[in-house]
């Protein structure tokens, strides 16, 4: 092991540490806090070392600490596999590298790997804000690399301040954009994403679960992030009809509602002619489950989706990336005019030993009302007139959940109502099932799309009625009509004064929507369509790769041409400053002739310049420095500054009329 | 910061040079550039060929130059019946001493004006040119050193070619610079016509220098600083002559060396203490013009080629 010959100065170390921390921050936030503390501690300690010129720890200690950190990681994640653990590992290793940051090479390595680390956040999230963050991080990383470069004695670069570094780095970033754009447009898209491991990608965020026990989606209501966006061809349905169907739950064990695994439909449902269909395209945010959401009742579904007997729309694979699909829904469709016996049995079964009070009331009602519809109306009326309240803040339910809710608690939200109502229906021998999904959404006037947030999650009931088949009944609407008309946010309370914030968020979502449509949604299909638009035939993946190579080749050629055309860059900064001044003069038509010497040029144009005498002086200084090898470094810097600041202004030409 | 200015060492020497230059400028008015070139040729240790019509002041220039420099000067009017001995000198048998005695010819002087050199036969011409190249004269097997400095100003009439032997191209190379004087401007000509004869001034002229100091100046010129970019420039110019389509053969390395030396001398004449591209540019046509042999069909002469190269070669 060779000891570092020289101590790394604080400046480049600080730049590198800052780069690493910015790159690691999104990962750190998702990590167990103890790991974040380790990373921050190591970075802070390294800065102190640079500041106080301490020695770095010996090899055995570094090894020990690194092994301990990896052990901590393995314990925190229960292993070293998976995306989270892998990026966590990368963060930890880079932080451990802080302990042996002793040479230029190490600094370069950390700054370069930080670039990869920043990009790896897209494994978890593809939001627009992260792109902005990515640009910021890359800017910082490039500036850090430039700063490190200044230390390199082999490659002397002009010293510059921090602002100059950032400017230079921005220049690099901007000049890389055309290449990035070309790559992005022409890179062959895969029909399926390359990654999409269904593990803990949602960062603890719950999508809609495939089971329901009252109280389970409470945290979903507080999640304001978008669930999906829908664009309609034509008018969107009115707010009271915006029921986005998700999992349909049949089995009830007294606590939890679960799905029944019904066979899928082999053919598309038949639609009565002349019906008023809704045609729309949904951009579904990744939610790690298989289902897609559609309005009642989906009749034309995407190719790669299955429609089950109870109108659940599912995909073969979990939705791990932004997914776009088109659906046609018919609101007037009659679902199952005839109910098979097996399904009927499933839809009325209840655990025997639960909810005696509810069953008792249901039997009573059954005796009073022959007609199912009358019974349902009565129950809804009862819910409306009795003191039932809609609230997200409520108590958990015990063994006889429906009893406790209907007769004692009387405060809850959609799940409570839907579950209790379905239990009541089943007790009265009316086939009932619970449907979960989303209800409502925010209509973006500017963007012409419906934004549905996770807080719009909802649960309602479908009952089977003679003549109309499965019919939607929303007991929550009976209690709190506002929940259905204007969305969960309006009843959840709070945020009255935050109107402007909500407006801002809605505006931001429009940007996000554009980003989703044009960037994330730029899949193989769109790519093909764009190629067709430019008159290119449908290309195979190989063809696309060749096209990409071709486009990149053209860009490289163009860059090479531009590079060769520009006058050879002098290594002498004094000469470069002079040539820059010459170019500025050229723009005023006062440039030097091809074979003209600096002095001859200056003497020729001096009288046409407002500051001619100063220009002559500059030219003499230049000659003394460049041809006379006169002046020290300070003189050279002074000349460079003077040349940069020299104002190129034409002298006021004496008017000819006046002189005559 | 230092400006291109007075020489570092031997400031009085530089002042003497300035005075000599001023004196010559007083006598030959309005010909500053030619005079500077003449001084450059002298201080670079070379010789000067003036190609011009009679009566434009060639002889006066040579005379003034030699007077300003100090030392003795000789004028040789070349004719077609001239023999080498008429220039170099002869060995005569002295009866008293019973031995040969060398009687030096007119070439034994610091400044020699060789007038109308193309009137002499090639044999005579080459005797002069050899003496110029060697700095010594060999007569009857005995070598006689020429005085130092030894500076030949030769003139040649480019128009009246009947009965002449134009110098062959290979011999032209012996002259460091070739230049023209040209007519004076109208105003200066008027002064010439109205004022008393300037040649009278020659009689009262005090030499500002002497041969020793000229030798010192030559040494000083040889040490003058030439920076990398100026060397780049010189190399670029020389390379351009070699690739120019109108030229049979470009400048030789010897010519390149001469270019550096002349540029240095010119810088010294201009009172600079380092060499500028401007010095190179000024001396380049005089140095390259007679050395470049254009192909006949190009329709250009050496001077035109040199000018074109100067215009198209960027100054590094």
């Amino acid at each position: 092991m060779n000891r570092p010959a020289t101590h790394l100065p604080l400046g480049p170390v600080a730049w590198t540490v800052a780069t690493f921390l910015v790159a690691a921050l999104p990962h750190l936030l998702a990590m167990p806090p103890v790991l974040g503390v380790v990373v921050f501690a190591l970075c802070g300690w390294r800065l102190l070392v640079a500041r106080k010129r301490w020695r770095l720890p010996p090899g055995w200690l570094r090894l020990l600490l690194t092994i301990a950190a990896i052990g901590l990681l393995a314990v925190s994640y229960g292993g070293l596999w998976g995306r989270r653990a892998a990026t966590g590992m990368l963060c930890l290793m880079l932080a451990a590298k802080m302990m042996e940051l002793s040479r230029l090479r190490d600094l370069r390595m950390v700054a370069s790997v930080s670039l990869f680390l920043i990009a790896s956040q897209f494994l978890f999230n593809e939001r627009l804000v992260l792109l902005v963050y990515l640009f910021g991080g890359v800017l910082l990383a490039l500036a850090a690399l430039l700063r490190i470069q200044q230390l390199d004695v082999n490659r002397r670069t002009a010293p510059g301040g921090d602002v100059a570094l950032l400017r230079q780095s921005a220049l690099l970033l901007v000049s890389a954009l055309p290449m990035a754009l070309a790559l992005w447009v022409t890179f062959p898209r895969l029909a399926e994403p390359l990654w999409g491991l269904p593990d803990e990608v949602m960062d603890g965020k719950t999508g809609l679960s495939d089971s329901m026990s009252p109280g389970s989606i409470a945290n979903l209501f507080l999640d304001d992030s978008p669930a999906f966006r829908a664009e309609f061809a034509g008018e969107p349905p009115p707010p009271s009809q915006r029921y986005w169907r998700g999992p349909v739950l049949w089995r009830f064990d007294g606590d939890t509602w679960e799905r029944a695994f019904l066979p899928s439909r082999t053919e598309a449902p038949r639609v009565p002619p002349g019906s008023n269909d809704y045609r729309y395209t949904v951009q579904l945010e990744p939610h790690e489950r298989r289902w897609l959401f559609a309005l009642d009742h989906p009749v034309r579904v995407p190719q790669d989706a299955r429609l089950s007997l109870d109108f659940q729309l599912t995909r073969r694979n979990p939705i791990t990336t932004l997914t776009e699909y088109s659906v046609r829904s018919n609101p007037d469709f009659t679902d199952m005019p005839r109910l098979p016996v097996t399904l009927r049995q499933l839809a009325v079964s209840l655990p025997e030993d639960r909810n005696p009070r509810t069953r008792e009331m249901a039997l009573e009602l059954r005796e009073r009302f022959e007609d199912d519809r009358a019974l349902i109306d009565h129950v809804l009326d009862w819910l409306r007139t009795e003191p039932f309240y809609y609230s997200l803040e409520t108590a958990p339910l015990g063994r006889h959940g429906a009893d406790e809710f209907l007769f004692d608690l009387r405060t809850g939200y959609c799940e409570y109502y839907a579950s209790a109502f379905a239990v009541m229906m089943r007790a009265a021998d009316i086939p009932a099932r619970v449907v979960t999904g989303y209800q409502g959404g925010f209509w973006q006037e500017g963007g012409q799309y419906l934004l549905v947030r996770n807080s719009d999650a909802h649960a309602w009931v479908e009952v089977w009625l003679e003549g109309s088949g499965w019919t939607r009944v929303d007991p929550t609407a009976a209690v709190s009509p506002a929940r259905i008309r204007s969305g969960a946010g309006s009843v959840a309370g709070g945020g009255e004064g935050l109107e402007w914030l909500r407006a801002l968020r809605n505006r931001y979502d429009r940007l996000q929507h554009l980003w989703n449509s044009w960037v994330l949604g730029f899949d193989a299909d769109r790519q093909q369509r764009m190629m067709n638009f430019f008159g290119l035939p449908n290309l195979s993946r190989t063809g696309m790769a060749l096209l990409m190579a071709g486009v990149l080749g053209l860009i490289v050629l163009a860059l090479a041409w531009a590079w060769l055309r520009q006058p050879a860059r002098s290594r002498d900064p004094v000469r470069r400053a002079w040539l820059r001044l010459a170019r500025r003069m050229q723009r005023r038509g006062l440039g030097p002739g091809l074979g003209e010497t600096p002095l001859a040029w200056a003497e020729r144009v001096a009288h046409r310049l407002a500051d001619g005498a100063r220009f002559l002086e500059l030219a003499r200084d230049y000659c003394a420095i460049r041809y006379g090898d006169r002046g020290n470094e300070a003189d050279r810097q002074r000349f460079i500054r003077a040349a940069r600041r020299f104002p190129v202004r034409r002298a006021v030409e004496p008017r000819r009329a006046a002189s005559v | 910061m230092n400006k291109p200015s007075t020489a570092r060492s031997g400031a009085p020497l530089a002042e003497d040079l300035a005075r000599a230059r001023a004196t010559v400028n007083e006598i030959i008015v309005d010909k500053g550039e030619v005079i500077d070139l003449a001084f450059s040729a002298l201080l670079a240790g070379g010789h000067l060929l003036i190609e011009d019509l009679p009566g434009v002041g060639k002889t006066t220039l040579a005379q003034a130059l030699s007077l300003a420099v100090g030392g003795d000067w000789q004028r040789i009017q070349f004719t077609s019946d001239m023999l080498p001995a008429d220039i170099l000198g002869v060995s005569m048998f002295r009866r008293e001493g019973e031995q040969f005695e060398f009687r030096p010819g007119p070439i034994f002087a610091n400044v020699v004006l060789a007038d109308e050199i193309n009137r002499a036969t090639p044999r005579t011409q080459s005797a002069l040119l050899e003496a110029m190249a060697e700095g010594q004269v060999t007569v009857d097997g005995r070598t006689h050193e020429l005085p130092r400095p030894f500076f030949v100003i030769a003139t040649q009439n480019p128009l009246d070619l009947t009965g002449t032997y134009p110098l062959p191209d290979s011999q032209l190379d012996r002259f460091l610079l070739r230049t023209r004087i040209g007519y004076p401007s109208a105003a200066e000509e008027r002064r010439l016509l109205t004022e008393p004869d300037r040649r009278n001034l020659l009689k009262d002229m005090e030499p500002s220098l002497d041969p020793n100091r000229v030798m010192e100046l030559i040494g000083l010129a040889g040490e003058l600083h030439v920076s990398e970019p100026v060397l780049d420039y010189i190399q670029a110019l020389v390379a351009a002559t070699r690739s120019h389509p109108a030229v049979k053969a470009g400048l030789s390395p010897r010519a390149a060396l001469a270019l550096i030396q002349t540029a240095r001398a010119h810088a010294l004449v201009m009172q600079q203490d380092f060499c500028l591209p401007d010095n190179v540019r000024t001396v380049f046509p005089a140095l390259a013009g007679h050395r470049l042999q254009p192909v006949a069909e190009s329709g250009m002469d050496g001077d035109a080629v040199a000018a074109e190269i100067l215009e198209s070669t960027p100054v590094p």
Side-chain angles (χ1 to χ4, degrees):
Chain A
M1 212 214 70
N2 44 350
R3 282 265 147 211
T6 53
H7 197 86
L8 287 178
L10 179 62
V13 172
W15 273 97
T16 310
V17 169
T19 299
F20 165 61
L21 283 181
V22 165
L25 197 63
H27 299 298
L28 293 183
L29 292 178
M31 269 188 214
V34 59
L35 293 177
V37 169
V38 168
V39 168
F40 271 101
L42 282 169
C43 290
W45 170 81
R46 185 61 183 89
L47 287 177
L48 262 178
V49 167
R51 181 82 201 257
K52 307 261 186 196
R53 307 187 136 261
W54 290 339
R55 303 186 78 173
L56 292 173
W60 61 267
L61 185 60
R62 299 200 303 248
L63 191 66
L64 213 67
L65 284 174
T66 310
I67 291 173
I70 294 174
L72 198 60
L73 183 85
V75 169
S76 307
Y77 282 104
L80 292 175
W81 308 113
R83 264 174 286 179
R84 273 290 167 214
T87 47
M89 178 88 161
L90 189 59
C91 288
L92 269 188
M93 294 311 278
L94 282 175
K97 184 78 189 164
M98 296 291 159
M99 291 188 290
E100 53 170 23
L101 219 54
S102 59
R103 278 168 298 175
L104 275 186
R105 217 190 55 170
D106 303 329
L107 288 178
R108 271 200 197 115
M109 198 277 272
V110 171
S112 314
V113 179
S114 291
L115 279 171
F116 175 76
L117 195 60
I118 302 172
S120 71
Q121 66 186 3
F122 282 105
L123 289 174
F124 305 100
N125 198 330
E126 294 180 315
R127 280 172 191 286
L128 182 58
V129 273
L130 279 187
L131 183 77
V132 178
Y133 194 85
L134 174 89
F135 269 97
V138 171
L139 198 69
L140 197 59
L142 289 180
L145 283 170
L146 287 168
R147 181 72 182 84
I148 296 164
Q149 186 84 340
Q150 288 179 352
L151 285 183
D152 197 334
V153 281
N154 298 329
R155 279 170 247 176
R156 269 190 54 211
T157 45
D162 293 349
V163 181
L165 280 178
L166 284 174
R167 198 171 25 196
Q168 223 176 333
S169 139
L171 203 67
L172 283 173
L173 202 56
V174 167
S175 41
L177 277 184
M179 195 75 100
L181 201 66
L183 262 176
W184 176 71
V185 169
T186 54
F187 194 86
R189 296 296 200 278
L190 305 174
E192 293 291 318
L194 273 176
W195 55 82
L197 310 172
D199 68 336
E200 24 87 35
V201 166
M202 296 297 288
D203 285 340
K205 241 196 238 166
T206 48
L208 208 54
S209 140
D210 59 352
S211 64
M212 182 190 92
S213 45
S216 67
I217 51 173
N219 51 355
L220 204 55
F221 285 121
L222 300 173
D223 179 7
D224 256 339
S225 60
F228 57 88
R229 298 171 182 79
E231 281 179 79
F232 289 88
E235 282 296 299
S240 60
Q241 290 301 314
R242 292 174 193 158
Y243 280 87
W244 298 91
R245 193 181 186 85
V248 181
L249 312 176
W250 296 75
R251 299 176 189 279
F252 183 58
D253 62 358
D255 295 316
T256 306
W257 290 87
E258 279 176 352
R259 293 202 291 157
F261 290 90
L262 302 180
S264 23
R265 290 170 182 274
T266 45
E267 55 186 39
R270 233 168 292 142
V271 192
S275 61
N276 191 14
D277 286 356
Y278 293 116
R279 291 152 196 265
Y280 51 94
T281 304
V282 176
Q283 277 177 4
L284 184 58
E285 295 280 332
H287 63 101
E288 300 297 322
R289 311 276 182 181
R290 288 185 166 75
W291 45 77
L292 310 174
F293 297 93
L295 287 170
D296 280 339
H297 287 276
V299 289
R300 288 286 177 279
V301 303
Q303 287 258 308
D304 50 353
R306 286 185 317 162
L307 191 59
S308 72
L309 211 54
D310 47 2
F311 287 90
Q312 292 185 72
L313 202 53
T314 50
R315 272 253 170 115
R316 181 182 298 273
N317 295 315
I319 312 296
T320 54
T321 57
L322 189 88
T323 305
E324 198 176 87
Y325 57 90
S326 298
V327 193
R328 221 169 108 186
S329 288
N330 186 316
D332 308 321
F333 184 78
T334 307
D335 179 14
M336 282 194 203
R338 259 169 230 279
L339 188 62
V341 184
T342 48
L343 284 184
R344 187 185 171 86
Q345 263 171 2
L346 191 62
V348 294
S349 69
L350 278 177
E352 292 292 328
D353 54 344
R354 299 284 183 102
N355 302 314
R357 286 149 84 190
T358 309
R359 295 167 80 101
E360 194 184 327
M361 178 179 167
L363 288 174
E364 250 172 59
L365 290 174
R366 184 78 274 179
E367 276 169 27
R368 271 172 65 193
F369 299 100
E370 186 65 28
D371 183 29
D372 286 352
R373 286 167 213 270
L375 192 151
I376 292 166
D377 284 343
H378 180 83
V379 173
L380 289 176
D381 256 353
W382 181 71
L383 285 174
R384 208 171 289 133
T385 48
E386 292 288 311
F388 280 96
Y389 299 102
Y390 182 90
S391 171
L392 291 181
E393 282 158 31
T394 184
L397 297 176
R399 181 170 168 78
H400 305 293
D403 283 6
E404 284 165 35
F405 177 68
L406 287 176
F407 302 105
D408 305 327
L409 188 61
R410 296 200 164 179
T411 300
Y413 49 90
C414 55
E415 289 187 338
Y416 288 74
Y417 288 99
S419 174
F421 187 80
V423 170
M424 176 91 80
M425 289 300 113
R426 287 190 174 190
D429 200 33
I430 301 172
R433 62 190 187 192
V434 171
V435 183
T436 57
Y438 293 91
Q439 197 280 324
F442 175 80
W443 180 249
Q444 287 273 22
E445 279 299 336
Q448 291 293 303
Y449 67 92
L450 189 74
L451 166 64
V452 178
R453 300 181 188 280
N454 275 318
S455 55
D456 291 320
H458 193 46
W460 60 93
V461 178
E462 279 179 343
V463 292
W464 189 87
L465 297 173
E466 194 72 47
S468 55
W470 286 104
T471 308
R472 184 172 63 226
V473 178
D474 190 348
T476 317
V479 177
S480 172
R483 162 69 183 83
I484 306 309
R485 275 203 314 275
S486 21
S490 62
V491 258
E496 279 303 320
L498 296 174
E499 264 321 303
W500 62 272
L501 189 67
R502 206 167 295 163
L504 198 70
R505 261 206 345 229
N506 286 334
R507 203 157 302 161
Y508 168 72
D509 191 77
R510 238 178 279 165
L511 274 181
Q512 179 73 38
H513 178 61
L514 286 176
W515 164 253
N516 286 351
S517 309
W518 292 101
V519 181
L520 298 186
F522 191 81
D523 54 8
D525 183 48
R526 285 221 176 162
Q527 191 180 36
Q528 201 75 73
R529 266 185 283 162
M530 196 187 80
M531 295 297 156
N532 291 349
F533 177 79
F534 283 113
L536 289 165
N538 283 0
L539 293 172
S540 67
R541 211 172 286 166
T542 322
M544 197 60 94
L546 283 175
L547 180 74
M548 177 178 78
V551 169
L552 285 186
L554 278 182
I555 291 179
V556 168
L557 271 182
L559 286 178
W561 184 73
W563 185 69
L564 286 176
R565 251 181 60 94
Q566 76 172 15
R569 242 173 93 85
S570 174
R571 291 170 62 93
D572 180 4
V574 169
R575 169 125 178 104
R576 281 207 301 274
W578 179 255
L579 290 179
R580 266 199 300 277
L581 178 59
R583 276 198 292 278
R584 272 166 59 211
M585 299 276 281
Q586 187 104 49
R587 265 175 249 145
R588 300 293 171 96
L590 297 174
L594 184 56
E596 201 165 30
T597 63
L599 271 184
W601 171 44
E603 274 157 19
R604 177 169 62 82
V605 299
H607 71 279
R608 294 167 66 189
L609 281 170
D611 302 281
R614 248 176 89 191
F615 184 55
L616 266 174
E617 190 78 358
L618 260 183
R620 287 201 194 100
D621 286 351
Y622 173 67
C623 286
I625 293 171
R626 178 144 175 90
Y627 303 122
D629 293 333
R630 295 295 133 80
N632 52 24
E633 187 56 35
D635 288 329
R636 299 166 72 84
Q637 289 304 324
R638 204 173 312 131
F639 170 79
I640 291 170
R641 270 197 304 280
R644 187 180 303 151
R645 295 201 190 124
F646 180 77
V648 179
R649 288 191 311 257
R650 274 174 178 277
V652 183
E653 304 259 338
R655 251 182 291 170
R656 211 158 277 175
S659 63
V660 169
Chain B
M1 203 180 303
N2 286 314
K3 301 275 156 13
S5 61
T6 340
R8 300 148 293 177
S9 57
L13 207 57
E15 278 166 29
D16 291 344
L17 175 62
R19 207 156 353 104
R21 188 168 152 243
T23 319
V24 180
N25 266 305
E26 245 172 72
I27 293 162
I28 325 254
V29 287
D30 199 28
K31 291 293 167 209
E33 283 177 31
V34 180
I35 293 163
D36 289 342
L37 279 178
F39 271 106
S40 303
L42 168 69
L43 296 187
H47 308 282
L48 179 67
L49 175 65
I50 300 177
E51 213 169 60
D52 221 325
L53 304 172
V56 290
K58 292 178 299 231
T59 315
T60 319
L61 172 65
Q63 224 171 334
L65 210 55
S66 60
L67 277 174
V69 164
D72 42 330
W73 86 285
Q74 288 283 352
R75 174 181 173 156
I76 313 167
Q77 181 68 47
F78 279 64
T79 55
S80 53
D81 55 357
M82 215 170 208
L83 293 172
D86 296 332
I87 300 165
L88 305 179
V90 285
S91 294
M92 294 172 77
F93 186 73
R94 294 295 284 244
R95 215 169 287 167
E96 309 91 84
E98 300 246 327
Q99 59 182 3
F100 283 95
E101 190 189 65
F102 180 67
R103 294 193 60 185
I107 200 170
F108 285 84
N110 291 116
V111 180
V112 175
L113 173 62
D115 233 348
E116 303 210 58
I117 187 173
N118 54 344
R119 296 218 167 268
T121 55
R123 192 169 154 233
T124 314
Q125 282 175 0
S126 66
L128 172 74
L129 294 170
E130 269 172 46
M132 279 162 56
E134 310 289 329
Q136 60 190 26
V137 167
T138 307
V139 177
D140 293 339
R142 289 185 60 182
T143 301
H144 306 276
E145 287 289 325
L146 288 167
R148 303 275 163 194
F150 177 62
F151 182 47
V152 174
I153 303 174
T155 72
Q156 177 163 243
N157 183 344
L159 283 190
D160 186 11
L161 291 178
T162 44
T164 65
Y165 305 91
L167 286 175
D169 289 338
S170 59
Q171 299 284 35
L172 277 176
D173 198 28
R174 307 268 183 210
F175 290 96
L176 182 67
L177 300 180
R178 181 193 67 171
T179 186
R180 296 189 171 83
I181 293 183
Y183 295 116
S185 66
E188 289 308 323
E189 191 149 38
R190 174 63 66 92
R191 278 179 65 194
L192 276 176
L193 297 177
T194 53
E195 287 176 11
D197 194 342
R198 285 183 174 271
R199 274 174 295 183
N200 294 337
L201 290 174
L202 287 171
K203 290 172 196 147
D204 325 321
M205 223 174 104
E206 288 288 315
S208 312
L209 292 165
D210 57 51
N212 283 336
R213 285 205 270 183
V214 171
M215 287 315 288
E216 272 182 58
L217 279 170
I218 289 174
L220 213 54
E223 290 165 11
L224 202 96
H225 179 69
V226 182
S227 62
E228 291 288 324
V230 177
L231 288 175
D232 288 343
Y233 186 45
I234 287 171
Q235 280 195 299
L237 289 175
V238 170
T241 64
R242 292 172 189 163
S243 62
H244 197 282
V247 175
K248 277 185 211 159
L251 292 182
S252 64
R254 188 168 68 191
L257 209 57
L259 181 54
I260 297 177
Q261 201 46 44
T262 319
R264 277 178 166 147
H266 189 261
L268 188 65
V269 171
M270 304 307 284
Q271 308 283 303
Q272 299 158 212
D273 56 359
F274 56 84
C275 190
L276 281 172
D278 303 75
N279 304 124
V280 180
R281 236 183 108 89
T282 309
V283 302
F284 183 73
L287 185 125
H290 60 294
R291 287 185 169 91
L292 295 176
Q293 303 158 27
V295 291
E297 51 271 27
S298 71
M300 299 173 85
D301 61 3
D303 289 338
V305 172
E308 197 183 281
I309 286 171
L310 276 183
E311 286 317 309
S312 59
T313 307
V315 182

